[in-house]
Amino acid sequence: MALSLLEELQRARTEEDVKDAYIKALGFKKKDYTKGRVDIQTAKVWFEAKFVTTPPLVMFGQLLVYVRDAKARGEPIPPFLAVIDRQKAAILPTVEALTLLVDESIEWPTSGSKADDKLALQIAPYIGERFTTYPVASMAKEFVNAIKDAIRKGELIKTPITRDNLKQVFDKWVAMVGTELGVKSEADYAVLFFADIMHDGTHEAMKQPAGARMLMTADGPTFFMHGDTYELASDKGYRDFWAIYHRPPAVEDRRYLLERRDSLLPVDEQKFKGAYYTPLHIVTKAYEQLRATLGEGWQDRYIVWDMCAGVGNLEVAHSNLRNVYMSTLDEADVTIMRSDPRFAGAERFQYDYLNDDVTDFGDIDYELSGKVPLELRQAIAAARDGDEDAKPILVLINPPYAESGSGISKGDENKIGVEKTRINGWMREMNLGYASKELFVQFLIRIQKELPRCTLAIFSTLKYVNGPNFEAFRKIWRPKYLDGFVVHSRAFDSIEGNFPIGFFVWDNTAKAAVQEITVDALDRHGAAVGEKTYLVRPKAMLLNAWIRSPAANGAIIIPLSNALTPSRNPRVKRTCVGAVGHLFASNNDMQNAGQGTLITSSIFTGRNGGGLFLSAENLVEAAVVFSVRLLPRHTWQNHSDQFLQPSQQLTDEFKSDCLVWMLFNNKNLTAGADKLRWNDRDWSLTNHFIPFTEAEIGAQRFESDFMVRYMRGMIFSPEAQAVLDEGRALFRRFHATSFPNKIRQEYKLGRSDAGWYQVRRALEAYGDTELTDFDPFKAAYAALTEKLRPMVYELGFLPA
């Protein structure tokens, strides 16, 4: 996955790295630019780059030395100048600096490299307020778009204020401008905001019906309202704000925007933190996504129903609440929404979407509760019937996740019985299996039946998209994917772990089987960090279906919950003929791979059980599965990825590398031990996984030489051989050491066939670092790991 500009800059170690990061982000081809005296030179823009964070005025000073020299020689100069470092970028139209180039009072240095703070102070009066600065952490995309617009159109294009972004722009205006005015009441912000945006910077663009006026003076803007005068305590935020946004709004939008004024209030994020809380900066991203997916003016065209509204924070960014219906389970939340002037115009009502109006026969009958407003019923009926004049319906939700009445911020609490709703009854009759237990999926089932022509925009985890337990659900739920993004779970308060939360937009009218989804990935702050692809494959193509599990029809066997700990599971377990160990491989995704993959000398029954017995017939495939599950590094973005069967033929070298990697991995818990008490008797474990003979490591006779015989004749790569050599040295050190009784008892060292788990743990516990140096082994194992890790993606086990 491509790194974002921010990630590239964080990895930068030199000024050249900084230049290359921006070149890559801007999509420049080699023919588009040169590097030289000007760090990055194109026909339209000259760039000055620094590795160390540097004031923009100093960098612009250096660029202007080059511009001045070029102008004096009669060479072409660019229409735009840009300065860049690892934290910020800034753009200046060259025309803004032309007058200072001929000012004889400025002491120009003899070369650009000598430009310093002295020159910066001299040019500040000319350009100090004329360049636009973009912090890379929050506005990298805006900078890239501005440069591309400057190159394509010859001008810096500012973002217009429209019907769809009004609330987001207002919130930014309050933060950057409004708070500098010292208003008496927060309600005054909306009036002052409109006085500002309905002004072109010189004259009023529209006389406002009431409230406030703004006059632009030589000292900056002055606001007048109710006999009071307001001036900015600092104008920096004002300049920064209007460097990004265009004013006034388009003529056709002005009256409409004024009519929305009463719905605008500054957002106190703390008021929305609760069961249905979606962070407001992520709400803003969702509305940006909806505008990109549904088009400009979507809020006028669509009726919106949020049937999981909570206290309404998904709707605070909405500009036309007269088209919005907000329902929620708890009456107390309805009371809060009805008392909030932000939602004036919206229809707010209590409704239990998973139970109300659901008949025993699988139908929806609004007369049962009488709660759904008549206008919404009529809109639903018109949309369902395909009436020509029907308004399309958008379902916008962050539904409960696992626990009834909670939002996604509650996490997966999975309380027993919460799924017992009337919709759950439908789903069980439809044989949807595990999916019927998930509350958020229950919402999708009713929405599909009730609103078959709607567009759905939903926050949720990704299990319904690619989880194998939802395969039956996906066969009947088949909307067309339109667009979306994933965001780090830590953007949401009170969520533990690192995983993606998706905001996906689906079209219920167009049916399609989803096979692949590519989305933008956002960090917890909402900044873009690249793209991510999620593959959707049937169970038969997943890795956990790659090896046939042999039938467990042999003798009774001791169950384990760790390498040497008998399980408390009272159920009797049986082995299979020829078994030499057990592979535990829980659930087929990256989420479970780290804690759900290991091998033991008997059946493992920890976590949720599962796995298969190992024998000579399936051992090498098991080694591949073991390695493939543990080699990739878990990230929040790949958390939901499903492991797939290989897309290419596996080489003998790859298989033998995986075998060695498994034998010396910390999740190899095979062991040799006696006197393990279970089911009122003592049991023994025989270790079949020692890859050395007794003579090689100075040990007494082993009960099994299975692994030596199995590996006989194999050819090992240099990396695998190095691991075997260093591992042999540690086994030899183990058998040459007289361990204290405490260590011998803890790790059951009474037998000669101790496994890798016992060897490393006992040596570590002994703590004789002078005699037991693990570093050579760790280096060899790391080299084998680095060789194998990219092959997981190259061979198709995970999406790249």
Side-chain angles (χ1 to χ4, degrees):
M1 185 181 67
L3 296 177
S4 68
L5 174 58
L6 179 60
E7 289 176 317
E8 295 277 9
L9 292 173
Q10 289 172 338
R11 294 188 175 196
R13 294 294 178 266
T14 66
E15 186 175 295
E16 285 302 312
D17 292 341
V18 173
K19 296 177 193 177
D20 291 341
Y22 279 95
I23 288 170
K24 180 179 178 181
L26 291 163
F28 289 165
K29 296 180 173 59
K30 287 188 176 181
K31 64 181 178 62
D32 297 329
Y33 69 92
T34 59
K35 289 182 179 180
R37 188 171 147 209
V38 176
D39 285 335
I40 305 172
Q41 185 171 351
T42 75
K44 297 290 185 67
V45 190
W46 288 4
F47 297 82
E48 177 62 28
K50 300 293 183 186
F51 176 75
V52 177
T53 300
T54 306
L57 278 169
V58 173
M59 290 192 280
F60 278 124
Q62 186 167 345
L63 271 180
L64 288 170
V65 172
Y66 305 143
V67 171
R68 186 170 177 269
D69 291 348
K71 190 171 183 295
R73 292 192 297 269
E75 298 173 356
I77 60 175
F80 297 97
L81 305 175
V83 296
I84 52 180
D85 62 26
R86 289 183 297 161
Q87 294 186 359
K88 65 186 175 303
I91 308 173
L92 173 72
T94 308
V95 68
E96 301 286 359
L98 292 181
T99 56
L100 70 83
L101 296 180
V102 295
D103 189 332
E104 295 181 357
S105 67
I106 295 178
E107 299 178 22
W108 293 97
T110 56
S111 66
S113 61
K114 294 182 179 179
D116 55 13
D117 292 346
K118 181 180 178 181
L119 178 61
L121 289 173
Q122 294 179 80
I123 67 176
Y126 293 88
I127 66 169
E129 298 182 3
R130 298 185 181 277
F131 58 82
T132 304
T133 303
Y134 302 81
V136 175
S138 59
M139 302 188 76
K141 185 176 181 180
E142 287 81 353
F143 171 73
V144 169
N145 289 340
I147 290 290
K148 289 181 177 179
D149 283 337
I151 292 173
R152 184 173 64 253
K153 301 178 181 179
E155 59 179 324
L156 293 178
I157 307 300
K158 295 183 179 182
T159 301
I161 302 170
T162 68
R163 303 178 179 202
D164 292 330
N165 69 3
L166 175 66
K167 189 63 174 70
Q168 295 95 299
V169 174
F170 171 71
D171 289 339
K172 292 179 181 178
W173 183 91
V174 171
M176 299 173 70
V177 179
T179 53
E180 297 294 330
L181 292 173
V183 299
K184 297 177 179 178
S185 168
E186 289 189 347
D188 293 337
Y189 280 137
V191 183
L192 294 168
F193 168 69
F194 276 94
D196 200 5
I197 70 171
M198 296 300 178
H199 199 287
D200 66 6
T202 303
H203 304 99
E204 285 182 322
M206 180 180 185
K207 185 173 178 60
Q208 295 193 52
R213 295 187 67 193
M214 188 195 83
L215 295 179
M216 186 64 71
T217 69
D219 295 326
T222 301
F223 294 85
F224 302 92
M225 185 176 63
H226 308 319
D228 293 320
T229 300
Y230 297 94
E231 295 182 340
L232 296 166
S234 168
D235 66 352
K236 183 179 185 305
Y238 191 84
R239 288 186 284 106
D240 289 347
F241 181 85
W242 287 118
I244 303 298
Y245 291 101
H246 175 77
R247 63 178 176 181
V251 173
E252 61 271 20
D253 284 344
R254 293 175 191 174
R255 178 62 59 183
Y256 176 92
L257 296 179
L258 281 173
E259 291 174 357
R260 305 278 80 75
R261 184 172 62 187
D262 290 343
S263 69
L264 298 182
L265 283 175
V267 174
D268 179 359
E269 191 148 350
Q270 294 298 324
K271 292 181 180 179
F272 291 99
K273 292 190 175 181
Y276 286 88
Y277 173 67
T278 310
L280 297 177
H281 66 292
I282 303 303
V283 173
T284 296
K285 292 295 181 180
Y287 273 72
E288 291 174 358
Q289 182 66 69
L290 288 170
R291 185 169 71 252
T293 305
L294 305 180
E296 295 290 341
W298 71 270
Q299 295 187 26
D300 286 341
R301 298 195 309 274
Y302 282 83
I303 289 174
V304 176
W305 186 8
D306 179 356
M307 59 279 293
C308 316
V311 294
N313 68 316
L314 272 188
E315 284 66 47
V316 295
H318 211 86
S319 299
N320 186 8
L321 287 162
R322 294 172 185 171
N323 286 338
V324 174
Y325 294 85
M326 304 162 67
S327 63
T328 189
L329 179 66
D330 296 324
E331 187 66 51
D333 287 342
V334 177
T335 301
I336 292 172
M337 287 192 293
R338 286 175 176 167
S339 65
D340 195 327
R342 294 174 184 84
F343 306 128
E347 187 71 43
R348 294 147 286 182
F349 59 102
Q350 187 278 330
Y351 198 65
D352 182 352
Y353 193 71
L354 300 183
N355 291 293
D356 284 346
D357 296 332
V358 180
T359 73
D360 293 334
F361 304 101
D363 295 319
I364 306 295
D365 182 358
Y366 297 124
E367 298 300 328
L368 292 178
S369 73
K371 295 177 181 179
V372 177
L374 178 61
E375 295 82 359
L376 179 56
R377 298 189 205 181
Q378 293 171 339
I380 291 171
R384 184 177 56 242
D385 295 340
D387 290 357
E388 185 176 338
D389 297 329
K391 271 196 169 185
I393 295 176
L394 171 71
V395 173
L396 175 62
I397 52 172
N398 175 0
Y401 178 53
E403 183 182 15
S404 181
S406 73
I408 202 164
S409 62
K410 286 290 186 181
D412 187 358
E413 297 181 12
N414 233 355
K415 290 189 176 179
I416 296 174
V418 299
E419 78 279 4
K420 302 300 183 183
T421 67
R422 296 186 70 82
I423 301 299
N424 171 254
W426 283 5
M427 295 177 71
R428 284 186 282 113
E429 290 180 4
M430 296 161 69
N431 295 317
L432 297 186
Y434 181 86
S436 64
K437 298 180 180 181
E438 292 285 350
L439 291 184
F440 82 94
V441 178
Q442 293 181 26
F443 274 81
L444 300 183
I445 289 294
R446 173 164 172 177
I447 289 167
Q448 178 174 261
K449 180 175 182 63
E450 183 177 17
L451 303 160
R453 295 177 179 269
C454 78
T455 300
L456 169 68
I458 178 174
F459 280 99
S460 71
T461 59
L462 305 191
K463 58 175 69 177
Y464 77 111
V465 176
N466 67 347
N469 286 334
F470 294 79
E471 186 170 292
F473 164 75
R474 287 193 294 272
K475 289 181 179 178
I476 66 165
W477 191 82
R478 295 164 56 85
K480 180 182 178 181
Y481 172 73
L482 298 180
D483 211 341
F485 62 79
V486 291
V487 62
H488 196 307
S489 59
R490 290 188 178 175
F492 294 74
D493 280 2
S494 304
I495 286 187
E496 297 180 358
N498 293 293
F499 56 90
I501 291 172
F503 179 74
F504 294 164
V505 185
W506 305 89
D507 180 2
N508 264 318
T509 63
K511 301 303 180 184
V514 175
Q515 294 185 324
E516 182 174 307
I517 289 178
T518 299
V519 299
D520 289 332
L522 311 181
D523 65 18
R524 62 188 300 180
H525 305 294
V529 294
E531 287 187 341
K532 171 62 184 172
T533 297
Y534 295 96
L535 301 182
V536 185
R537 297 291 184 268
K539 287 183 179 180
M541 297 179 65
L542 301 182
L543 186 60
N544 62 0
W546 191 44
I547 308 176
R548 187 178 63 85
S549 179
N553 53 11
I556 294 175
I557 192 172
I558 178 174
L560 299 173
S561 61
N562 205 323
L564 300 166
T565 306
S567 172
R568 296 182 180 180
N569 192 325
R571 290 178 293 177
V572 172
K573 303 292 183 180
R574 293 184 178 275
T575 187
C576 68
V577 177
V580 294
H582 186 262
L583 168 68
F584 174 65
S586 172
N587 296 3
N588 191 67
D589 52 26
M590 276 294 297
Q591 172 185 357
N592 289 280
Q595 297 300 316
T597 308
L598 53 87
I599 56 173
T600 48
S601 288
S602 188
I603 187 170
F604 179 81
T605 60
R607 287 172 65 94
N608 59 356
L612 53 88
F613 284 104
L614 301 177
S615 67
E617 285 69 37
N618 66 13
L619 181 60
V620 73
E621 288 80 11
V624 169
V625 170
F626 178 98
S627 301
V628 162
R629 286 172 60 92
L630 291 175
L631 277 162
R633 294 188 178 96
H634 175 271
T635 69
W636 71 268
Q637 293 178 50
N638 69 21
H639 179 89
S640 301
D641 283 351
Q642 297 290 328
F643 291 100
L644 305 174
Q645 295 176 22
S647 59
Q648 301 181 40
Q649 187 74 27
L650 304 183
T651 65
D652 289 342
E653 181 174 306
F654 178 76
K655 294 176 183 178
S656 61
D657 279 352
C658 286
L659 178 62
V660 172
W661 197 85
M662 177 182 73
L663 290 175
F664 290 93
N665 188 272
N666 289 348
K667 294 300 181 73
N668 172 6
L669 305 186
T670 55
D674 291 326
K675 297 183 179 180
L676 301 182
R677 193 71 180 173
W678 177 75
N679 202 23
D680 296 326
R681 57 165 280 197
D682 287 336
W683 296 74
S684 295
L685 296 177
T686 298
N687 183 13
H688 300 277
F689 282 72
I690 303 174
F692 310 115
T693 65
E694 295 91 337
E696 286 182 278
I697 57 177
Q700 299 296 317
R701 185 177 184 278
F702 300 148
E703 188 169 327
S704 169
D705 65 348
F706 167 83
M707 192 57 64
V708 170
R709 288 185 289 105
Y710 185 84
M711 295 170 63
R712 188 173 294 145
M714 282 187 177
I715 299 174
F716 296 102
S717 68
E719 294 86 356
Q721 189 61 57
V723 172
L724 286 168
D725 292 342
E726 296 300 336
R728 184 186 298 107
L730 291 175
F731 265 87
R732 189 181 297 121
R733 169 55 53 197
F734 171 85
H735 285 285
T737 301
S738 297
F739 291 100
N741 186 61
K742 180 180 178 181
I743 294 177
R744 294 182 63 80
Q745 293 298 321
E746 182 175 358
Y747 295 108
K748 309 292 185 185
L749 304 185
R751 294 169 57 112
S752 61
D753 59 349
W756 174 240
Y757 169 83
Q758 294 161 295
V759 167
R760 63 181 178 83
R761 286 295 187 92
L763 289 173
E764 289 168 354
Y766 191 51
D768 194 344
T769 55
E770 182 179 349
L771 295 177
T772 307
D773 183 3
F774 283 89
D775 288 345
F777 168 79
K778 290 178 179 178
Y781 195 77
L784 180 59
T785 299
E786 290 307 306
K787 174 188 177 183
L788 289 174
R789 182 171 285 140
M791 299 180 73
V792 174
Y793 303 93
E794 294 167 7
L795 295 172
F797 290 105
L798 281 177

